[in-house]
Amino acid sequence: MLICSVTLLLAYLNKARCAGAPFDESGRSTIFDSVKDSNVCYSDIQFLWLGRDINEHVFPYLSGGITGDGMLTGGAVEYPVLSGLFMWLGALGADNDAAFLLHSALLLTPFALLTAYMLGRMAGRAALLWAAGPPLVLYAFHNWELPVVCTAVAAFYVVTAMTRYSLRTRGILAAVLLGIGFCLKLYPGIFLLPLLIHVLLGEHDEYERRRDYDVRGAVLVAVTGLLTVIAVNLPFALSGYEGWRASITFQQLRHADITTNSIWYWGLRPMFGSSEAAEASFQDVVSMASPLLVLVSFALATWLGCKRYVVTGVYPWIGVSGAMLCGFLLFHKVHSPQYTLWLIPFLVLLEVPWSLIGVYLLADASIGIGVFRYFYALGSGHNADLQENIVLFGVWGRAALLLVFFFLFVRARPRWSGRLGVPGAEGRALGPVSADGHIAPPARTAA
């Protein structure tokens, strides 16, 4: 946690290079537009000080909406309601974008530290990948990702470490956390499916596998997650439906373009012409193919997890969750650089080769740094071939490794094996695990 604190300080100082006096009449740092790309200090936090009525301290979602061409108006923002609430809280007491960035960083920091604590408890030194890794420096205060990562890791922690409680109880509590995560940035909601399958099948190895299933527990997990999402969203939907609905419509209307860093723009877009009709056709194809492939990847990850259950007696719900996230990141039309923070906990918790992790971080840095230098070269009229090649390496290197991680995650051994008293095949292969983490020799008959 101490190391994570130092990393977070570096992360803030990196983004703060874009902020500071003098300010214009709206509270925007006058240096922001001139250095955000060249100095690679751009952040969505500072950028969105304007354009969403954050500078006017308007409470989000209760007013505003979205125009036909996808422009948000009034208090509408493009994120789920809890992220919008963090945006509003960060702006309290701020009258310029530098203060907004500082307040937001202070608000987000505890979530990064709590994540470091939980990952450290589960995975030991591997948690340094989160606490001291380049992604935290680049993206900790790029957007509002730290609370959602924290809720996802907390769900893993509850199921993995709090073994004094029944699996059903742990599953229900994890479902609440994943529901809250869905209300922050959506993606933790997809982990509900592998979680409920895990609760349904139970924690048993090949020697002790039972034939009955906890159907009631699985249903309670699904219902709890759904009710959590409804409970958080309903007050906003009732108080300002148009403003609340605008965040969903915005994401539906968003195009795969040069700012989305996806394989769709860099891989498929060149196959279409340069006319407006060709652009429209390209976007139509992406709108159909992207969600279809994402759903196919979810189904494949779930099926692979079931096959793994046949071998080990434990459904690898965290590995399947990681594989589903890989499918989402690979095929979704938007792959923002800060999404790497979503993936890092899986690289910490699951035993995948460190060499692959190193290459992924290199590809990620090519995007996280290279794309802004690319934008600067384009905007300044300089030759951008080198920067474009760096971005292409990042896009395709990252995509290739996501595909590799998709299959590795499902089969990966957890790094917490032997560290926590966790029921399941990893511990039970050595014998039953007691409440205090001791492993007893397994009973065997002569037969």
Side-chain angles (χ1 to χ4, degrees):
M1 291 178 68
L2 178 61
I3 292 173
C4 186
S5 300
V6 175
T7 305
L8 291 169
L9 177 60
L10 295 176
Y12 170 73
L13 293 176
N14 177 46
K15 297 302 184 182
R17 291 181 299 129
C18 271
F23 304 99
D24 63 21
E25 63 278 1
S26 64
R28 166 72 77 209
S29 300
T30 56
I31 64 170
F32 178 71
D33 288 326
S34 60
V35 303
K36 61 182 175 64
D37 292 330
S38 60
N39 289 3
V40 195
C41 55
Y42 169 88
S43 71
D44 290 335
I45 295 177
Q46 187 180 357
F47 176 75
L48 290 176
W49 168 251
L50 300 178
R52 304 293 184 269
D53 279 358
I54 293 173
N55 60 317
E56 301 293 338
H57 307 286
V58 174
F59 195 84
Y61 308 104
L62 302 188
S63 61
I66 189 168
T67 64
D69 58 355
M71 296 294 295
L72 293 168
T73 62
V77 298
E78 57 265 54
Y79 304 120
V81 294
L82 292 184
S83 286
L85 190 59
F86 273 105
M87 296 168 71
W88 178 75
L89 289 172
L92 293 179
D95 57 5
N96 57 68
D97 59 359
F100 179 48
L101 177 64
L102 175 60
H103 294 180
S104 297
L106 294 174
L107 194 63
L108 297 175
T109 289
F111 294 98
L113 295 175
L114 181 57
T115 300
Y117 170 79
M118 292 185 291
L119 290 176
R121 288 280 296 162
M122 289 187 284
R125 293 179 183 176
L128 290 172
L129 178 62
W130 168 266
L136 199 62
V137 176
L138 291 173
Y139 312 126
F141 307 121
H142 188 92
N143 198 287
W144 292 267
E145 309 299 334
L146 296 179
V148 66
V149 175
C150 186
T151 57
V153 172
F156 303 152
Y157 183 82
V158 164
V159 177
T160 300
M162 297 175 61
T163 53
R164 67 178 65 123
Y165 303 104
S166 69
L167 176 59
R168 180 190 292 182
T169 300
R170 286 178 277 142
I172 291 172
L173 181 54
V176 173
L177 292 166
L178 294 178
I180 293 172
F182 181 88
C183 299
L184 284 161
K185 281 296 179 75
L186 299 185
Y187 84 89
I190 66 179
F191 304 158
L192 274 172
L193 176 59
L195 173 61
L196 70 87
I197 295 175
H198 177 56
V199 172
L200 173 69
L201 297 177
E203 293 172 324
H204 302 274
D205 65 19
E206 61 269 32
Y207 300 107
E208 301 181 28
R209 191 175 305 164
R210 64 185 184 185
R211 295 182 180 276
D212 57 315
Y213 303 107
D214 189 5
V215 176
R216 178 180 175 84
V219 171
L220 286 173
V221 166
V223 171
T224 299
L226 178 62
L227 290 179
T228 301
V229 172
I230 292 174
V232 173
N233 280 274
L234 191 59
F236 292 91
L238 293 178
S239 301
Y241 178 79
E242 293 300 325
W244 172 80
R245 183 68 176 82
S247 63
I248 302 172
T249 305
F250 180 90
Q251 298 300 335
Q252 292 173 333
L253 295 177
R254 189 170 181 184
H255 288 172
D257 56 30
I258 196 172
T259 67
T260 58
N261 309 295
S262 68
I263 60 173
W264 298 107
Y265 176 80
W266 291 103
L268 188 63
R269 183 63 186 88
M271 300 180 185
F272 291 76
S274 58
S275 65
E276 291 186 7
E279 173 66 17
S281 298
F282 164 69
Q283 298 298 340
D284 289 341
V285 169
V286 173
S287 296
M288 291 187 295
S290 173
L292 177 61
L293 289 174
V294 167
L295 291 176
V296 168
S297 72
F298 289 176
L300 177 59
T302 304
W303 178 75
L304 291 174
C306 291
K307 287 180 66 66
R308 191 65 180 163
Y309 167 76
V310 173
V311 175
T312 66
V314 174
Y315 189 79
W317 83 277
I318 294 181
V320 172
S321 297
M324 294 172 74
L325 178 61
C326 288
F328 177 82
L329 294 177
L330 181 59
F331 295 119
H332 189 47
K333 60 185 176 181
V334 178
H335 191 162
S336 297
Q338 71 271 14
Y339 292 174
T340 296
L341 293 177
W342 303 359
L343 189 68
I344 292 297
F346 293 100
L347 300 177
V348 171
L349 294 174
L350 301 171
E351 290 187 355
V352 295
W354 286 104
S355 57
L356 294 181
I357 294 175
V359 176
Y360 185 86
L361 294 181
L362 180 61
D364 173 71
S366 298
I367 289 290
I369 299 174
V371 73
F372 294 105
R373 294 295 303 176
Y374 179 53
F375 292 158
Y376 170 70
L378 291 177
S380 60
H382 298 158
N383 185 290
D385 290 345
L386 174 61
Q387 291 82 353
E388 181 174 331
N389 288 330
I390 291 174
V391 171
L392 286 171
F393 167 76
V395 169
W396 295 112
R398 194 172 57 178
L401 286 165
L402 285 173
L403 186 60
V404 172
F405 289 149
F406 180 93
F407 294 99
L408 287 182
F409 282 167
V410 178
R411 299 181 59 85
R413 176 183 172 88
R415 295 193 195 274
W416 63 80
S417 298
R419 294 183 53 82
L420 300 170
V422 184
E426 294 79 9
R428 291 174 181 266
L430 301 176
V433 182
S434 66
D436 58 0
H438 291 95
I439 299 176
R444 293 288 187 272
T445 65

